[in-house]
Amino acid sequence: MKPLKIAMMSMTHGHTRKYYQTLKDNPKLDWVAVATANEEVKEIFLNSVQGIPCYDSETEMLDAHPEIEAVVLASENSEHLRQMKLCAERGIHILSMKVPTFDMDEYDEMIDIVEKKGLVCQIELEMHYNPVIARMKELLAKGEIGKIKSFNATNITLSPVWAFPWQGVPEKSYGRRVPIKEGDPRFRGGALCDHPHIFDMIRHMTGSDFESIYAEVAPNIRPDIEEEDMLSVIGRMKDGTVFSLDPSWSKMEERIKVPGPGWEVFPKRMEVNITINGEKGTMMADCFGPNVYHNGCPNDRYTVQYTYFDEWIGLIDEFVDNIRNSKTPLINLRWHKRTIEAMNAVYESIATGKVVKL
């Protein structure tokens, strides 16, 4: 199979550096170039990767490399529609970071753009490629615990705001400035916007969609950010599954510009834990459990070294296969839109104090 000529735009998203090794080493890819959003991001990239042409302008990059077939939109959420239009004009396939947009009119426009051009647009939600998730899905398909009755999941992390400032700006994260509820000085765009994974996972595991949602927001443990950092969500799926989801920034971090060892105050910088109760039994999983910890530099405390399978390998392999064989991605815009609708319902429930029906 001919290697896919791929590029990256913006380089401002927290997942950007996760792609570096995969894009360089995967024989299915030919990493052509990047376009960085600003000088600070450019300097960080050039200090991390050698031999990949780096441009200050997306248009300049695309003009210089008409051979580019696909682009990773490693950008803030507010940039995705503009960048998708730019790619669609040139017939370039798209791998979008995990939230395309929270604006449903924009979402419909994105669907229209890529479908009219016949482009692959895959949403980057790497949890789908986690081996623990694959094993749970396999056991469910075999009926090992029977029909699912309840689903509990956490997606708790430290906050990326200090290293990726746009995630602390409601207009860039959520897309506009919307008060989280009356009398509350905070705005939509925080932890919930960073954690769509478990909202996707319950749909992926049950094969069902959301029926009703109720959510509450907690006081911030970071009083100096203007978005929510802790919340809790409960509800019911259309197949009757009840759920409890925690998509919070409840791990604490050092406020450094470039994440690295010592960034996490608590050893694990993220925990995705899932418990599924069925009619015949229960499954419990720590999706990022196999890690190595060491006590030492730079801050004389436990630091984590991840040892689990790199989900980005599976994600990229599927992306290439979708393009080369004209397949629809597992996480495509139409499928994922219902996840974003549910996340908007979470904000609506917080604002109104009521259960929201979908």
Side-chain angles (χ1 to χ4, degrees):
M1 182 185 293
K2 180 177 148 185
L4 181 73
K5 295 189 180 296
I6 195 166
M8 296 182 76
M9 287 182 178
S10 294
M11 321 297 279
T12 55
H13 197 280
H15 285 179
T16 298
R17 286 186 287 278
K18 301 284 183 69
Y19 286 91
Y20 290 171
Q21 202 65 35
T22 301
L23 265 60
K24 287 196 77 172
D25 295 348
N26 192 325
K28 297 177 182 178
L29 301 176
D30 178 6
W31 190 5
V32 176
V34 304
T36 53
N38 55 59
E39 285 299 317
E40 185 176 9
V41 172
K42 180 178 181 179
E43 181 181 359
I44 292 171
F45 172 74
L46 293 176
N47 287 335
S48 304
V49 179
Q50 289 75 47
I52 304 298
C54 181
Y55 295 86
D56 297 326
S57 158
E58 298 156 355
T59 302
E60 181 186 6
M61 177 186 75
L62 296 176
D63 287 344
H65 298 280
E67 72 274 21
I68 291 172
E69 299 175 88
V71 165
V72 179
L73 305 186
S75 53
E76 47 266 57
N77 300 338
S78 58
E79 291 294 299
H80 291 162
L81 178 59
R82 180 188 63 79
Q83 291 178 333
M84 284 189 187
K85 287 179 178 178
L86 184 62
C87 291
E89 289 169 1
R90 300 173 184 246
I92 294 172
H93 301 286
I94 299 160
L95 180 59
S96 171
M97 286 299 173
K98 54 192 173 184
V99 176
T101 179
F102 283 97
D103 184 309
M104 291 296 99
D105 289 336
E106 282 193 357
Y107 214 119
D108 287 338
E109 189 175 353
M110 290 175 177
I111 292 172
D112 186 61
I113 288 168
V114 300
E115 289 187 353
K116 280 183 176 177
K117 291 288 187 176
L119 300 174
V120 167
C121 183
Q122 182 172 319
I123 313 305
E124 178 243 54
L125 280 152
E126 76 286 356
M127 276 295 297
H128 286 268
Y129 307 91
N130 183 290
V132 175
I133 295 297
R135 178 61 173 160
M136 293 184 84
K137 184 76 170 172
E138 178 187 354
L139 291 173
L140 287 172
K142 289 180 178 178
E144 293 291 339
I145 65 168
K147 184 180 185 302
I148 298 175
K149 304 296 288 182
S150 67
F151 182 99
N152 172 269
T154 63
N155 187 179
I156 53 177
T157 69
L158 38 67
S159 172
V161 166
W162 323 111
F164 308 100
W166 69 265
Q167 295 204 242
V169 180
E171 294 88 342
K172 295 183 178 182
S173 179
Y174 185 71
R176 61 189 192 279
R177 209 167 183 80
V178 180
I180 202 155
K181 61 180 178 179
E182 187 176 354
D184 195 308
R186 294 170 296 174
F187 298 88
R188 299 180 182 184
L192 178 64
C193 291
D194 192 31
H195 292 154
H197 305 82
I198 50 178
F199 291 85
D200 248 30
M201 279 299 108
I202 188 170
R203 296 182 59 222
H204 182 59
M205 293 290 186
T206 64
S208 185
D209 275 313
F210 293 92
E211 178 185 272
S212 60
I213 283 177
Y214 177 77
E216 291 190 357
V217 66
N220 273 23
I221 58 175
R222 300 169 184 82
D224 50 340
I225 67 172
E226 58 177 0
E227 303 163 334
E228 84 285 350
D229 66 6
M230 293 204 297
L231 67 157
S232 181
V233 184
I234 59 174
R236 186 183 298 274
M237 305 297 284
K238 292 184 187 299
D239 69 351
T241 302
V242 295
F243 63 83
S244 172
L245 307 177
D246 180 358
S248 298
W249 285 335
S250 52
K251 302 290 188 188
M252 292 304 290
E253 68 283 329
E254 292 287 350
R255 301 183 176 191
I256 57 180
K257 288 189 175 182
V258 181
W263 189 28
E264 55 279 286
V265 174
F266 185 84
K268 288 182 78 170
R269 65 184 61 164
M270 65 176 171
E271 291 189 59
V272 179
N273 302 306
I274 297 177
T275 300
I276 304 178
N277 294 300
E279 291 178 334
K280 293 163 45 180
T282 298
M283 280 194 292
M284 302 175 71
D286 178 353
C287 299
F288 298 104
N291 299 294
V292 172
Y293 301 92
H294 63 87
N295 187 11
C297 293
N299 295 320
D300 296 319
R301 62 168 179 253
Y302 283 115
T303 300
V304 65
Q305 174 63 51
Y306 293 114
T307 57
Y308 54 80
F309 173 77
D310 187 349
E311 295 95 345
W312 271 262
I313 295 172
L315 184 152
I316 287 291
D317 281 352
E318 193 211 330
F319 185 52
V320 173
D321 184 51
N322 289 331
I323 292 171
R324 290 292 182 242
N325 296 300
S326 301
K327 294 181 179 179
T328 300
L330 172 68
I331 316 153
N332 59 77
L333 283 169
R334 284 191 179 274
W335 187 88
H336 186 60
K337 181 183 175 184
R338 292 194 293 276
T339 294
I340 301 302
E341 287 172 341
M343 295 172 74
N344 274 322
V346 170
Y347 279 129
E348 183 183 345
S349 179
I350 290 171
T352 62
K354 297 178 180 179
V355 173
V356 176
K357 300 284 189 180
L358 288 97

